[in-house]
Amino acid sequence: MDNGKYVRYTPEQVEALERLYHDCPKPSSIRRQQLIRECPILSNIEPKQIKVWFQNRRCREKQRKESSRLQAVNRKLTAMNKLLMEENDRLQKQVSQLVYENGYFRQHTQITTQATKDTNCESVVTSGQHNLTTQHPPRDASPAGLLSIAEETLAEFLSKATGTAVEWVQMPGMKPGPDSIGIVAISHGCTGVAARACGLVGLEPTRVAEILKDRPLWFRDCRAVDVLNVLPTANGGTIELLYMQLYAPTTLAPARDFWLLRYTSVLEDGSLVICERSLKNTQNGPSMPPVQHFVRAEMLPSGYLIRPCEGGGSIIHIVDHMDLEPWSVPEVLRPLYESSTVLAQKTTMAALRHLRQISHEVSQSNVTGWGRRPAALRALSQRLSRGFNEALNGFTDEGWTTISNDGVDDVTILVNSSPDKLMGLNLSFANGFPSVSNAVLCAKASMLLQNVPPAILLRFLREHRSEWADNNMDAYTAAAIKVGPCSLSGSCVGNFGGQVILPLAHTIEHEEFLEVIKLEGIAHSPEDTIMPREMFLLQLCSGMDENAVGTCAELISAPIDASFADDAPLLPSGFRIIPLESGKEASSPNRTLDLASSLDVGPSGNRASNGSAGNSSCMRSVMTIAFEFAFESHMQEHVTSMARQYVRSIISSVQRVALALSPSHLSSHAGLRSPLGTPEAQTLAHWICNSYRCYLGVELLKSNNEGNESLLKSLWHHSDAILCCTLKALPVFTFSNQAGLDMLETTLVALQDITLEKIFDDHGRKILFSEFPQIIQQGFACLQGGICLSSMGRPVSYERVVAWKVLNEEENAHCICFMFVNWSFV
């Protein structure tokens, strides 16, 4: 053994050590000694040498993981570089084509000015790409004709995916890089709306194709895809005839449907192609007549180009090109159907996100900390979204019938008593008496919001349920479908006004969260044995990112029973807020509530509506509300009246909240929110900077000789997160700059509900409590780096925290300020 400096282990000894390492990578001294006693084969090795072996083994494991990670990053960068080079070639081709067209049009312009004036100016030759008014004779829909249409669709799709058939521009807010979802572009100047995306996913091409073909699983707006006919082709491909239905996103517009041809084939280079287009103006073959309650939309050549990637995975090109018939919706909603950005967010990027999520789940553990497989949690999210869409659309073929209104056409009431809808809802109460609910009622409405960001409004509704929800209605819902005690455990993200938020899962881009809400104090009295004292909601949150362009924000929840089973009955209710991108002013339809004009506000509110008239149109959005209730059929009239009044009260609450959260209502300063324009905030900024200079001897801001207003603006835009909390036994936050709000993923309104200790993990809390006396006595302290949590439960790393006491004009302690340096989401 060479005096204990080096040990050459036998294969049997290595095998024994590896078995222990697999069970316990870091054994204690007692465990190592026990191993020597239990394994005679290790008796000639000193405990110190075994300790060294485990240290080396952990080091090798760490190096192996880091090497694998770097190799994966290298493969991703190589694939991304290939995509960027292809995009560069395409852009060069597009530039050459534009230069040629420019010269062509200039030459013909000179000819027309020299010739005799011709009043028929439309006879001038234009680019074939934009000449879309030509009437074609009916196409042959026989098998041979369908093959011809399929080959034509393939050529047109490839010219959009990798060629210059459509002028693509980078989608706002999307920058390509190794951590981005991919390269996303939207169309400019083409018929309809179009979006294109290129990305890398860690799945094989055949698996990618299988997932993308099953559109209802990843496209939440897709109601159904029916394959009506399948034709094999001579080259090994398939032609399918599809009928697809899409849900309407709001109560103010009809749903869409498509009659499609889908062509799947393999190119000569081994790439897999799935392309689609609408079938219209055909003869001698199958057709799909118009369907009641649906508007027939058109899909122009679209699809997926899937190429195998070196080292595993696939490079995928996605093109979505549609004409959604915007003429069929009220003018105020037409931006939703005329926006390529909305199409990119809802469809194109949704496909890429779903593929990335599946790839991530394949490479990670199959079971989450809640004992649920990722696929099961995704299925719950899908059921919440689908149930909400079903209630929102209220199709008659699903059993929904409309109830006459009470003379005011603001809330629509629908009733469904079909067996399929009621399946699983007739559960038993804890005392053994059965629930006899035999119908479901839905109350729904839509409203137009002005000058309030959807993400901020939805975040407030999530964190402050007590501001809009009625405990009596929660109790009724809990009793109607037997919501009993739920055996869930886990870390609490936040306790907001009687509700406890417990995280379940989130997607890898954190654009969607699934969580359980525990509502306390639901029972009317301690003697109440039917109404539960607490209830649980399964809740889906999405669209919380304020910087995402064209993102739909949703907050959908449903009561869950005690078992919390994967197939638990769900009656989803909630909110959907969709931003409108139009710069035009449009009158609201009869059933739309215009918040800016319907609120009775004071001088501050009037100043908001007048002072921001120039930009209010670019901050408009439509909110749709839908709430479902199970009930007994003989109580229909009573439940209808109760539900209608409840939704009206929610509308009134949302109006008040929207006005309070409106940036123009609180401040006329561009880029600032909430009370940042007030003298109190300006004074606080002055105190923060003066106290920092007093205790640490340096300036907090680069230029501290500005007025209070400029000082506040500089503090607000500081890159580090700066937060102030009260000097109380349980400190709560009272102020934050923009970086702090981003780090905590909250708003200034909701900030005061977050306590200081809630954002730290156990290690961070120990350090904070040990250093707090020093902050009070000495006036400042520097805390080492660590991990904290945002209000959404996301881990945030920071390099260090600088804390100092903020003194007012009388040199008395006003609050404590914390600056999180170089923070980032983990």
Side-chain angles (χ1 to χ4, degrees):
M1 283 196 275
D2 193 15
N3 297 326
K5 294 182 180 180
Y6 180 77
V7 177
R8 184 180 298 277
Y9 299 95
T10 65
E12 292 78 10
Q13 290 173 331
V14 172
E15 182 179 354
L17 291 170
E18 286 287 351
R19 282 198 303 269
L20 178 59
Y21 179 83
H22 180 72
D23 296 334
C24 180
K26 195 174 182 179
S28 63
S29 175
I30 297 176
R31 184 69 183 92
R32 291 194 299 269
Q33 293 176 1
Q34 181 183 359
L35 175 66
I36 295 175
R37 290 194 301 269
E38 293 176 351
C39 299
I41 197 173
L42 300 176
S43 59
N44 63 332
I45 303 177
E46 297 180 4
K48 181 178 179 181
Q49 290 296 338
I50 293 181
K51 178 181 179 181
V52 172
W53 185 92
F54 274 95
Q55 290 175 344
N56 293 338
R57 182 63 178 83
R58 290 194 298 271
C59 183
R60 291 196 303 270
E61 182 69 15
K62 184 177 180 180
Q63 290 175 344
R64 184 189 65 80
K65 291 182 178 179
E66 181 66 11
S67 176
S68 300
R69 187 188 69 82
L70 292 175
Q71 289 176 4
V73 171
N74 182 63
R75 288 195 300 268
K76 189 171 183 178
L77 290 173
T78 301
M80 187 64 68
N81 180 61
K82 184 178 180 180
L83 280 177
L84 291 173
M85 291 176 64
E86 292 176 354
E87 181 70 4
N88 185 56
D89 292 340
R90 188 194 65 81
L91 291 174
Q92 289 180 353
K93 293 177 182 178
Q94 185 172 342
V95 168
S96 301
Q97 180 176 341
L98 292 174
V99 170
Y100 170 77
E101 290 183 355
N102 183 53
Y104 179 81
F105 285 123
R106 183 177 298 175
Q107 178 182 358
H108 278 265
T109 301
Q110 293 173 353
I111 294 175
T112 54
T113 54
Q114 294 172 2
T116 305
K117 292 183 179 180
D118 184 359
T119 57
N120 186 13
C121 298
E122 295 181 358
S123 63
V124 179
V125 178
T126 60
S127 171
Q129 164 184 339
H130 303 287
N131 187 16
L132 300 171
T133 59
T134 304
Q135 295 294 325
H136 296 286
R139 299 291 300 269
D140 180 20
S142 65
L146 291 177
L147 179 59
S148 175
I149 296 174
E151 293 293 345
E152 180 182 304
T153 303
L154 174 61
E156 292 187 40
F157 160 67
L158 291 176
S159 67
K160 296 175 183 178
T162 60
T164 58
V166 172
E167 182 181 349
W168 300 108
V169 296
Q170 181 174 306
M171 182 172 167
M174 295 296 300
K175 295 182 179 180
D179 296 325
S180 69
I181 191 174
I183 303 171
V184 183
I186 56 177
S187 62
H188 176 70
C190 73
T191 299
V193 292
R196 190 193 68 162
C198 311
L200 173 68
V201 294
L203 299 170
E204 294 305 312
T206 53
R207 177 61 174 148
V208 172
E210 177 187 345
I211 293 172
L212 292 175
K213 280 188 172 184
D214 196 356
R215 193 179 258 113
L217 280 183
W218 58 266
F219 186 26
R220 298 286 175 85
D221 286 353
C222 185
R223 184 191 185 206
V225 176
D226 296 326
V227 180
L228 303 182
N229 199 358
V230 180
L231 301 173
T233 61
N235 61 359
T238 57
I239 296 175
E240 300 167 281
L241 300 184
L242 313 175
Y243 175 64
M244 180 173 70
Q245 292 181 343
L246 302 185
Y247 290 110
T250 173
T251 62
L252 304 177
R256 264 53 182 166
D257 67 351
F258 297 82
W259 172 233
L260 301 172
L261 176 145
R262 181 165 70 191
Y263 181 37
T264 305
S265 63
V266 179
L267 302 183
E268 294 181 356
D269 63 356
S271 300
L272 189 59
V273 179
I274 306 169
C275 54
E276 301 171 322
R277 80 175 308 156
S278 286
L279 284 176
K280 64 176 187 176
N281 195 25
T282 59
Q283 61 183 8
N284 303 326
S287 62
M288 177 60 64
V291 179
Q292 189 180 11
H293 305 306
F294 286 87
V295 172
R296 183 63 49 87
E298 180 183 3
M299 180 181 291
L300 289 82
S302 307
Y304 316 100
L305 171 62
I306 312 165
R307 297 184 297 181
C309 181
E310 296 181 6
S314 305
I315 297 176
I316 179 172
H317 297 253
I318 303 176
V319 173
D320 289 302
H321 193 177
M322 301 181 183
D323 184 353
L324 296 172
E325 306 295 340
W327 58 267
S328 63
V329 301
E331 186 178 354
V332 70
L333 293 182
R334 289 181 186 173
L336 300 182
Y337 298 83
E338 297 173 338
S339 170
S340 294
T341 301
V342 173
L343 178 69
Q345 284 281 5
K346 292 178 62 176
T347 309
T348 316
M349 294 174 64
L352 265 185
R353 287 194 181 105
H354 186 79
L355 291 170
R356 283 165 54 89
Q357 184 68 30
I358 297 295
S359 176
H360 177 73
E361 292 171 3
V362 169
S363 62
Q364 300 296 321
S365 172
N366 288 332
V367 180
T368 68
W370 292 86
R372 295 292 196 280
R373 293 183 179 275
L377 294 176
R378 276 192 289 105
L380 286 172
S381 299
Q382 177 74 12
R383 289 179 57 203
L384 281 173
S385 182
R386 187 177 185 85
F388 184 77
N389 277 324
E390 289 176 355
L392 198 65
N393 285 261
F395 293 117
T396 56
D397 61 358
E398 292 178 346
W400 291 101
T401 57
T402 304
I403 304 299
S404 58
N405 60 54
D406 59 353
V408 182
D409 191 21
D410 59 343
V411 178
T412 302
I413 303 294
L414 297 95
V415 171
N416 192 331
S417 56
S418 65
D420 291 340
K421 185 68 177 176
L422 297 171
M423 186 176 298
L425 292 180
N426 294 327
L427 306 174
S428 298
F429 291 116
N431 57 13
F433 293 100
S435 169
V436 292
S437 298
N438 53 15
V440 175
L441 180 144
C442 175
K444 60 183 182 179
S446 291
M447 52 169 45
L448 183 68
L449 303 176
Q450 295 211 37
N451 209 25
V452 56
I456 293 179
L457 175 58
L458 201 75
R459 191 177 299 160
F460 183 91
L461 296 175
R462 170 184 176 265
E463 298 174 357
H464 296 269
R465 182 180 174 87
S466 60
E467 293 292 330
W468 56 267
D470 186 339
N471 278 351
N472 292 328
M473 294 299 295
D474 286 337
Y476 172 84
T477 303
I481 66 168
K482 166 59 180 70
V483 176
C486 185
S487 58
L488 293 176
S489 61
S491 58
C492 172
V493 172
N495 192 326
F496 303 110
Q499 69 180 52
V500 180
I501 299 180
L502 305 167
L504 274 180
H506 56 74
T507 52
I508 54 177
E509 276 88 18
H510 288 84
E511 80 282 346
E512 182 175 286
F513 295 83
L514 187 66
E515 57 195 14
V516 170
I517 308 298
K518 177 184 177 183
L519 301 178
E520 300 171 331
I522 300 300
H524 296 297
S525 66
E527 293 76 20
D528 197 337
T529 58
I530 299 297
M531 301 298 184
R533 293 181 177 83
E534 61 183 22
M535 68 175 289
F536 294 85
L537 299 176
L538 183 66
Q539 184 162 275
L540 178 67
C541 312
S542 63
M544 296 290 190
D545 185 2
E546 300 172 41
N547 300 318
V549 179
T551 302
C552 169
E554 292 182 330
L555 185 68
I556 304 171
S557 60
I560 55 176
D561 66 3
S563 65
F564 188 40
D566 293 340
D567 58 349
L570 298 177
L571 277 183
S573 303
F575 308 87
R576 172 179 292 157
I577 312 175
I578 309 174
L580 301 173
E581 292 188 329
S582 174
K584 303 176 182 179
E585 292 295 336
S587 59
S588 303
N590 292 334
R591 289 177 55 193
T592 302
L593 305 179
D594 188 340
L595 295 184
S597 61
S598 64
L599 290 174
D600 182 15
V601 296
S604 178
N606 293 330
R607 182 175 66 252
S609 60
N610 296 332
S612 61
N615 62 3
S616 62
S617 61
C618 64
M619 291 191 66
R620 291 188 304 170
S621 56
V622 60
M623 169 184 269
T624 299
I625 304 170
F627 279 77
E628 292 188 89
F629 307 92
F631 68 99
E632 301 173 30
S633 57
H634 68 276
M635 297 182 62
Q636 177 172 316
E637 184 176 349
H638 171 70
V639 175
T640 298
S641 175
M642 178 181 64
R644 181 179 282 117
Q645 293 303 319
Y646 182 50
V647 171
R648 284 174 179 166
S649 70
I650 291 176
I651 291 173
S652 178
S653 300
V654 169
Q655 290 174 346
R656 294 193 303 270
V657 171
L659 183 63
L661 295 179
S662 172
S664 59
H665 171 66
L666 295 164
S667 173
S668 60
H669 295 275
L672 302 184
R673 300 186 197 137
S674 225
L676 291 178
T678 63
E680 292 82 1
Q682 296 171 7
T683 301
L684 178 60
H686 179 70
W687 292 348
I688 290 173
C689 295
N690 280 354
S691 300
Y692 186 87
R693 181 176 62 252
C694 174
Y695 286 116
L696 283 89
V698 293
E699 298 289 350
L700 176 61
L701 306 175
K702 292 182 179 179
S703 177
N704 205 17
N705 298 322
E706 305 169 336
N708 285 353
E709 186 174 337
S710 299
L711 197 69
L712 174 61
K713 190 172 183 180
S714 300
L715 186 70
W716 176 257
H717 292 292
H718 198 284
S719 59
D720 294 326
I722 299 176
L723 303 102
C724 293
C725 69
T726 57
L727 284 166
K728 296 181 179 179
L730 188 64
V732 297
F733 291 109
T734 58
F735 174 82
S736 172
N737 66 347
Q738 177 63 67
L741 296 179
D742 292 341
M743 185 185 76
L744 294 182
E745 295 188 295
T746 187
T747 64
L748 281 172
V749 178
L751 182 68
Q752 299 180 15
D753 293 312
I754 304 176
T755 60
L756 178 62
E757 67 170 7
K758 287 293 184 183
I759 72 169
F760 287 102
D761 59 8
D762 293 337
H763 178 67
R765 277 193 289 269
K766 291 179 181 178
I767 296 177
L768 175 65
F769 293 151
S770 64
E771 297 291 342
F772 210 82
Q774 179 183 344
I775 301 174
I776 300 299
Q777 297 174 8
Q778 183 177 311
F780 73 96
C782 292
L783 313 181
Q784 66 186 35
I787 299 291
C788 66
L789 295 175
S790 74
S791 65
M792 304 293 289
R794 296 175 65 182
V796 180
S797 66
Y798 53 89
E799 184 178 298
R800 66 181 184 280
V801 174
V802 180
W804 68 97
K805 191 163 52 175
V806 177
L807 306 178
N808 59 19
E809 300 292 349
E810 288 78 26
E811 299 293 327
N812 296 323
H814 176 75
C815 62
I816 293 180
C817 196
F818 293 87
M819 181 167 65
F820 292 77
V821 180
N822 295 335
W823 66 273
S824 63
F825 289 109
V826 177

